[in-house]
């Protein structure tokens, strides 16, 4: 068991994703309203794991990552 884990552990990768989304308000088109409605910035983080399949570094992971 220990040997198989040691051998496979080298091909397991961690994947961390950060997505930054700027939400634009329709009032941004008017300079007067722009001062009252600043843009909203949302940050989404996700993480997962994958497995390296080739010597070139191609990895397979879950779709949600």
């Amino acid at each position: 068991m220990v040997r198989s884990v040691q051998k496979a552990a080298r091909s397991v990768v961690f994947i961390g994703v950060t997505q930054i989304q700027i939400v634009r308000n329709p009032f941004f088109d008017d300079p007067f309203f722009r001062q009252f409605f600043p843009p909203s910035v949302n940050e989404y983080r996700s993480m997962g794991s994958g497995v390296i399949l080739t010597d070139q570094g191609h990895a397979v992971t879950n779709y949600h990552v």
Side-chain angles (χ1 to χ4, degrees):
M1 173 78 174
V2 173
R3 278 193 237 160
S4 61
V5 171
Q6 288 173 343
K7 187 176 181 180
R10 289 179 267 162
S11 64
V12 176
V13 295
F14 168 80
I15 300 170
V17 179
T18 302
Q19 177 186 15
I20 297 174
Q21 181 184 44
I22 298 174
V23 180
R24 227 180 131 247
N25 193 304
F27 289 116
F28 278 167
D29 296 334
D30 187 325
F32 175 76
F33 287 110
R34 194 175 300 150
Q35 63 185 330
F36 301 111
F37 300 99
S40 174
V41 178
N42 298 326
E43 186 175 298
Y44 301 99
R45 293 179 185 228
S46 178
M47 63 182 147
S49 60
V51 179
I52 297 175
L53 292 181
T54 66
D55 292 337
Q56 292 83 19
H58 293 102
V60 174
T61 184
N62 290 334
Y63 177 75
H64 72 277
V65 178

